[in-house]
């Protein structure tokens, strides 16, 4: 699942160009849906809807204005490597190491928190290694945001 996550959602790895017109976006439920738990997918959709309403009402970018933060650092990653597994048998945590293409000795690490569903292992959260927080917290903050 962690390898599939890298190949599907990480733009440079997936050969996705966010500036290219009509390129498939990693924020499309058809793209991320098979990789995440049903609960996380629902929270993402709710946060995206709320963020769109905030942007429309205020004219300012919402916390999801640049898309779902699938990784802790929004810089482009040249590689996405699956590392060690920890956590529990019910909620394994998989280390993901990102490296820059032009500086492979540099990079950052995030942790995918997995959960088993009827469809197999799915990502249920992402803990960001280079900054405080996690994906679910950002989504919750967006959902709780107020519009004027």
């Amino acid at each position: 699942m962690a390898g599939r996550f890298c190949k599907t959602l990480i733009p440079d790895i997936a050969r996705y160009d966010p500036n290219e017109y009509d390129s498939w976006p990693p924020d499309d439920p058809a793209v991320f849906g098979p990789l995440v738990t049903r609960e996380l997918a629902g929270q993402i959709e709710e946060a995206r809807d709320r963020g769109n309403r905030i942007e429309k009402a205020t004219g300012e970018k919402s916390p999801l204005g640049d898309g779902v933060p699938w990784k802790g650092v929004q810089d482009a990653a040249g590689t996405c490597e699956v590392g060690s597994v920890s956590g529990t048998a019910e909620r394994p945590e998989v280390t993901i190491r990102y490296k820059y293409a032009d500086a492979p000795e540099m990079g950052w690490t995030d942790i995918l928190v997995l959960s088993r569903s009827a469809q197999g292992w799915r990502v249920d959260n992402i803990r960001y290694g280079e900054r405080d927080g996690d994906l679910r917290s950002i989504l919750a903050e967006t959902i709780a945001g107020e519009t004027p």
Side-chain angles (χ1 to χ4, degrees):
M1 176 49 64
R4 186 172 166 204
F5 170 86
C6 288
K7 290 177 183 171
T8 304
L9 293 177
I10 306 308
D12 279 6
I13 311 313
R15 303 186 198 294
Y16 157 74
D17 181 354
N19 298 314
E20 185 177 309
Y21 177 74
D22 207 25
S23 182
W24 64 266
D27 290 351
D28 182 339
V31 173
F32 71 75
L35 303 175
V36 302
T37 61
R38 184 174 294 137
E39 296 79 16
L40 181 57
Q43 190 178 21
I44 290 169
E45 286 302 304
E46 185 177 358
R48 288 177 63 206
D49 290 346
R50 183 73 171 147
N52 289 339
R53 289 196 306 272
I54 290 170
E55 288 183 8
K56 191 173 188 176
T58 66
E60 297 178 17
K61 190 185 324 185
S62 80
L64 296 183
D66 290 328
V68 175
W70 295 113
K71 52 191 184 354
V73 176
Q74 297 312 304
D75 293 344
T79 63
C80 177
E81 300 171 349
V82 178
S84 62
V85 178
S86 60
T88 66
E90 295 80 30
R91 298 224 4 125
E93 298 180 358
V94 181
T95 301
I96 301 291
R97 175 81 179 139
Y98 300 98
K99 295 180 182 178
Y100 297 105
D102 57 350
E105 69 284 355
M106 298 178 65
W108 69 96
T109 302
D110 290 338
I111 297 172
L112 300 182
V113 180
L114 304 180
S115 179
R116 187 185 300 267
S117 70
Q119 295 76 34
W121 290 108
R122 298 291 184 261
V123 175
D124 192 50
N125 198 5
I126 302 169
R127 290 200 340 252
Y128 305 126
E130 301 298 317
R131 65 177 188 186
D132 290 334
D134 60 87
L135 177 57
R136 282 194 177 262
S137 296
I138 290 173
L139 298 172
E141 289 172 17
T142 303
I143 292 166
E146 294 184 23
T147 55

